[in-house]
Amino acid sequence: MIRFENVFRTSAAVLIALLIAAPPSAAQVQKQPAAQTLKRPAAKIVKQPAVDKKLHRLVLQVNTNEPATMNLALNNATNVAQYYKDLGEKVAIEVVTFGPGLHMLRDDTSPVKARIKAIKESTPEISFKACGNTQENMHKVENKEIPIIPEATVVKSGVVRVMELQEQGWTYVKP
């Protein structure tokens, strides 16, 4: 048999729980006194010193005597330079040639020397490195001086140059 006292206690407990959980009505909110707002001191805005934008660094390797590969490397270099220029960020790009790719920077055999000259004049962020070991080996084989275009610099070893740049955090791409 259900006792009236137990039903009453259970109903009262449910009603109290509902009243506690229910949000106050608009009328109840208006009758309550306004809560006082804690006053906090205004936050000081500290201007951070200007941070130098990251220098993006890319090394492109050319080791084949194929004009399509040479032009692809030049396209990559100019596209990357333009991308970061549009963002207002700094970039340094080195095109490193060795082995048969040295023909890209040979003054007497380069199929892209006019394009390199134009790029060098308009985009100083792009530099060109010629492998001295390859130049020396070609000199021995051809029995003549191997002229390098004036826009390029000769490094002792193209492969070592690529390695050193990667060790310094440069991004490596072989087109």
Side-chain angles (χ1 to χ4, degrees), residues 102-119:
L102 186 67
H103 285 281
M104 179 179 186
L105 301 179
R106 280 184 59 162
D107 198 32
D108 58 340
T109 61
S110 175
V112 292
K113 70 180 180 180
R115 186 169 179 209
I116 290 172
K117 183 177 182 176
I119 289 171

Side-chain angles (χ1 to χ4, degrees), residues 13 33 46 49 59 66 73 88 105 107 109 119 122-123 133 150 158 168-169 173:
V46 178
V59 57
E66 298 172 12
L105 301 179
D107 198 32
T109 61
I119 289 171
S122 66
T123 315
N133 289 336
Q168 295 170 22
V173 173

